[in-house]
Amino acid sequence: MGAAPSTPIHPLSMLTAVEVKRAVEIIKATGRVAEGALYAHIVLAEPDKATLAAWKPGVDPGRHVRAQIVPGPELELIEATVSLAQGVVTEWRVVTGERPTLLFRETANAMFTTRAHPEYIAALAKRGIIDVENVQIDTWPAGTFGYDAEQGRRIARCLSFVREFPTDNGYARPVEGLIVHFDLGRNEVIEVIDHGSVELPRAHARYMAADHQPLRADVKPLHITQPEGPSFAVAGNLIEWQKFAVRITFDPYEGLVLHGVTYEGRSIAHRLSMSEMVVPYGDPGEIHGFKNAFDAGEWGLGRMTQPLTLGCDCLGEIYYFDAVLATEGGKPWVIDNAICMHEEDYGVLWKHVDLFGGTSEVRRSRRLVISHIATVGNYEYGFYWYFYMDGNIQLEVKLSGILSVGAIEPGSLREFGNEVAPGVYAPFHQHMFCARLDLDVDGENNSVYEVEAERVPPGPGNPWGNAFRAKKTLLETEKAAQREVNPAVSRSWRVVSETARNGMGQPTSYKLVPTMSTPTLLAHETSSVGRRAEFAQHNLWVTPYAPAETRAAGDYPNQSSGGAGLPEWTAADRSLVDTDVVLWYSFGITHFPRPEDWPVMPTEYTGFLLSPVGFFDRNPALDVPPSEPGGNGSSCH
Ligand code: CO
């Protein structure tokens, strides 16, 4: 149900399978694509703001599609753009020295080729591992460490785990000390490195229901029913709910993308997305020291999204959207039920009991949830966008899945990680996300203020010493706007309209609120990942809108040497005053793994809130109707 229409009627309608096929036909007709070339991605070329604003409903939007083609094992990519209506290639740009995301076909080949390599088989045999078929090989993004043998190659590093049978949890038994450096483009082992073995941990780490009998017997059914259906309306990829409107698309790297977020037709945001993320590990050792996966740019939060199952991943009256990507062979790839949408009860929206008048008023809060879940190797990342009746918009990221582990002598002390099961070692690490928030609050002419509480010293005008005020600082340029969270002074960042005023004459605004404590990047600024993930060195960055500036660590983060993306763009220190601003919020979790995270992690949460400040003249949710009474003759109002 709920798939995108086959004929796009809007410039930002979801990419369709027909469009993917057509784009590849047009590209192949040029005769310039080598046999065996792979398509790293095929995506809708989003029109820039001016083009989008000029488009009139009913007019063919003249859609373009972008493809990134990998012709061979060298460091060469082709960035092609095609006009579907005209049937021609409009851009053909050869990029040298850069790498695509890790390709599924090549990483699958890496597993088979490594398993057949005599030195690898010998290293396993030395550890008493004979059943090579059941060895699980994780291909990791390689990072950038300047090894001579890796220059000019597209590589991965392979770590191994032993399964007792095909559906076993291999992470129970890390093959410690063994790492394979692999050339993905040429499908060949560069080097099998054996740093010495540790005995395989003995205990299994299974998490299926059959492995944990008896199951608890006191969980009674809990049903969410909406007898009259949900309160949202869907037309293609346009969603309307409780005065909000939003259009969604799906990107191989960013996953879910929100466009044109409005409330009663007033603009809040032009485009909201997850631009990049990185998981840097804090253990400097031989097996874990290289680990810093860019799960958006090196794997792809959209590419790794799995179909969702009704009643399991999402509960209630669910609407699913399919997502169309492209296979590396250039065929349409439809992820069924990739995006889930539903409503959730969210407790009390507002309440007051008038102790004098004897009235009691309460309204229930409800939120619209639009979500998808990416499985990036061992980890799952759920991205949940929430819309609330009081004008709030929130992103919550839910982290689950399985820790990336090694094996140690049981009971041995470690400085950079924890033993989470006997002999199973999980290094400390971070999950750093960077959301790109192109807010347009009542139009494009916005400025950004940092607002925080400021204590006033006792003295004349503050005789009791209780005073504090809201200190507002205009972030005038890009360098001044590189900021950190500070919960002690309730720091937030307000995106203020330079043109619109509310009923009190105040500029309308939305603020970005760090709802949970968040770190910045812990790896040193001069380290490899410190340079490559510079976006995570500050929680906030602000840039003036530029259509090509979309990915926080640059367009080619895989094996990058650093400096691309936010640090590159903001070097010009452009003005941010009274302009079309884009906020970049880097947030996340520093994960000190614990036994409770094993063998599969209970969900951990991170995220942020976008909240109206003077965008409305009063509580915008006074018109929410009271709920029906609970059936005991009582009334909710
Ligand atoms: Co973690």
Side-chain angles (χ1 to χ4, degrees):
M1 68 185 272
S6 58
T7 310
I9 52 166
H10 188 275
L12 289 172
S13 292
M14 292 257 217
L15 184 72
T16 68
V18 172
E19 289 180 316
V20 171
K21 279 187 200 152
R22 179 88 182 110
V24 172
E25 281 167 15
I26 296 165
I27 288 168
K28 285 194 170 160
T30 64
R32 298 167 78 178
V33 180
E35 194 67 32
L38 297 177
Y39 293 82
H41 63 242
I42 297 175
V43 297
L44 175 69
E46 291 179 19
D48 64 23
K49 277 183 171 172
T51 310
L52 193 57
W55 175 77
K56 298 268 186 308
V59 177
D60 181 343
R63 289 176 34 118
H64 287 63
V65 165
R66 290 193 289 114
Q68 186 183 83
I69 304 161
V70 187
E74 311 300 331
L75 300 195
E76 182 179 298
L77 299 172
I78 297 160
E79 298 284 5
T81 307
V82 303
S83 162
L84 296 173
Q86 294 167 16
V88 294
V89 170
T90 57
E91 185 194 22
W92 189 274
R93 190 161 48 90
V94 177
V95 177
T96 53
E98 304 288 3
R99 297 161 177 89
T101 183
L102 275 81
L103 300 173
F104 295 145
R105 194 174 291 189
E106 293 182 352
T107 52
N109 286 342
M111 298 176 204
F112 294 117
T113 303
T114 298
R115 271 189 196 151
H117 195 273
E119 284 178 47
Y120 179 76
I121 294 168
L124 291 179
K126 220 164 79 183
R127 291 163 167 80
I129 303 162
I130 305 302
D131 179 11
V132 182
E133 281 306 301
N134 275 321
V135 173
Q136 166 193 336
I137 296 177
D138 285 11
T139 49
W140 275 75
T144 308
F145 299 97
Y147 300 125
D148 282 345
E150 298 175 356
Q151 301 304 319
R153 297 182 190 249
R154 295 192 274 112
I155 56 173
R157 305 190 202 283
C158 300
L159 300 179
S160 306
F161 305 86
V162 176
R163 295 181 179 226
E164 291 188 352
F165 47 89
T167 59
D168 193 13
N169 179 5
Y171 295 109
R173 292 184 183 77
V175 180
E176 189 58 37
L178 181 60
I179 185 165
V180 176
H181 295 183
F182 195 90
D183 185 325
L184 294 167
R186 296 180 179 81
N187 189 20
E188 65 188 28
V189 169
I190 301 170
E191 198 177 4
V192 176
I193 306 169
D194 193 341
H195 294 287
S197 68
V198 171
E199 196 183 342
L200 285 178
R202 293 213 177 90
H204 74 72
R206 292 164 201 148
Y207 47 85
M208 308 293 177
D211 302 311
H212 296 278
Q213 298 295 326
L215 300 176
R216 58 183 76 182
D218 55 354
V219 184
K220 306 294 186 200
L222 192 160
H223 295 295
I224 309 293
T225 56
Q226 293 187 275
E228 297 172 31
S231 314
F232 50 75
V234 181
N237 62 340
L238 177 67
I239 298 152
E240 291 179 296
W241 180 84
Q242 297 292 306
K243 307 185 188 186
F244 280 106
V246 56
R247 193 176 285 279
I248 61 168
T249 59
F250 198 76
D251 180 86
Y253 308 104
E254 299 177 290
L256 190 55
V257 181
L258 308 186
H259 303 268
V261 180
T262 61
Y263 189 95
E264 289 187 312
R266 292 170 63 193
S267 170
I268 300 169
H270 177 69
R271 190 181 189 279
L272 306 173
S273 67
M274 186 56 57
S275 168
E276 190 51 88
M277 73 161 292
V278 64
V279 189
Y281 282 74
D283 184 313
E286 284 138 341
I287 296 298
H288 304 290
F290 80 90
K291 289 180 179 174
N292 48 67
F294 287 62
D295 285 342
E298 291 178 331
W299 281 116
L301 301 174
R303 293 166 84 226
M304 306 307 274
T305 287
Q306 305 297 314
L308 299 169
T309 308
L310 184 61
C312 306
D313 300 292
C314 310
L315 204 56
E317 287 287 322
I318 307 298
Y319 189 97
Y320 288 114
F321 295 88
D322 299 342
V324 176
L325 301 174
T327 66
E328 289 162 7
K331 301 222 160 40
W333 167 26
V334 181
I335 305 175
D336 295 325
N337 297 351
I339 301 164
C340 169
M341 180 166 72
H342 69 293
E343 293 177 284
E344 286 178 354
D345 181 272
Y346 195 62
V348 170
L349 171 63
W350 57 261
K351 175 183 173 73
H352 185 59
V353 178
D354 181 345
L355 297 176
F356 298 95
T359 59
S360 172
E361 288 289 311
V362 60
R363 300 292 183 272
R364 289 206 67 78
S365 177
R366 187 185 292 203
R367 64 185 183 187
L368 178 71
V369 186
I370 311 175
S371 67
H372 72 107
I373 303 175
T375 301
V376 187
N378 50 305
Y379 263 109
E380 335 289 311
Y381 300 108
F383 297 91
Y384 294 74
W385 286 95
Y386 301 132
F387 292 84
Y388 295 87
M389 294 163 131
D390 60 1
N392 279 351
I393 301 167
Q394 183 185 3
L395 176 69
E396 186 169 69
V397 184
K398 301 186 186 183
L399 297 87
S400 188
I402 302 180
L403 293 163
S404 174
V405 293
I408 54 171
E409 284 299 322
S412 58
L413 287 175
R414 292 294 166 130
E415 188 179 358
F416 304 110
N418 274 338
E419 190 175 2
V420 294
V424 178
Y425 168 73
F428 301 146
H429 58 276
Q430 296 187 287
H431 302 264
M432 294 301 301
F433 302 85
C434 184
R436 181 181 182 275
L437 309 171
D438 180 356
L439 297 186
D440 285 2
V441 179
D442 277 323
E444 293 177 5
N445 291 84
N446 292 166
S447 295
V448 185
Y449 289 81
E450 180 168 284
V451 181
E452 64 187 28
E454 183 179 50
R455 301 165 85 189
V456 179
N462 183 24
W464 299 290
N466 62 307
F468 63 90
R469 57 193 162 211
K471 181 179 151 197
K472 299 185 186 71
T473 309
L474 175 65
L475 304 180
E476 292 190 40
T477 66
E478 290 177 298
K479 285 187 179 160
Q482 293 167 9
R483 304 294 297 161
E484 271 65 68
V485 300
N486 187 350
V489 294
S490 303
R491 183 177 290 172
S492 67
W493 296 287
R494 209 174 281 182
V495 180
V496 170
S497 169
E498 293 286 358
T499 52
R501 296 289 178 271
N502 66 18
M504 282 139 293
Q506 303 158 337
T508 62
S509 75
Y510 256 76
K511 65 177 173 181
L512 167 61
V513 188
T515 49
M516 303 180 209
S517 75
T518 176
T520 49
L521 190 73
L522 289 166
H524 197 269
E525 303 88 76
T526 60
S527 66
S528 174
V529 69
R531 294 193 310 274
R532 298 176 62 222
E534 201 169 328
F535 68 85
Q537 288 187 21
H538 302 288
N539 296 120
L540 182 78
W541 304 67
V542 187
T543 56
Y545 169 78
E549 296 177 3
T550 57
R551 295 176 66 184
D555 289 340
Y556 308 103
N558 187 12
Q559 286 180 256
S560 65
S561 49
L566 281 170
E568 183 184 5
W569 307 323
T570 57
D573 202 21
R574 294 169 291 188
S575 171
L576 302 173
V577 180
D578 192 6
T579 190
D580 185 358
V581 292
V582 177
L583 277 63
W584 306 74
Y585 184 54
S586 297
F587 64 98
I589 285 170
T590 298
H591 193 174
F592 300 124
R594 47 182 192 148
E596 289 85 347
D597 291 333
W598 191 254
V600 62
M601 286 182 299
T603 300
E604 191 165 7
Y605 303 84
T606 183
F608 60 86
L609 183 69
L610 298 168
S611 189
V613 181
F615 189 80
F616 303 106
D617 288 350
R618 60 187 66 78
N619 180 347
L622 297 175
D623 58 351
V624 172
S627 307
E628 291 304 312
N632 56 357
S634 62
S635 165
C636 292
H637 61 106

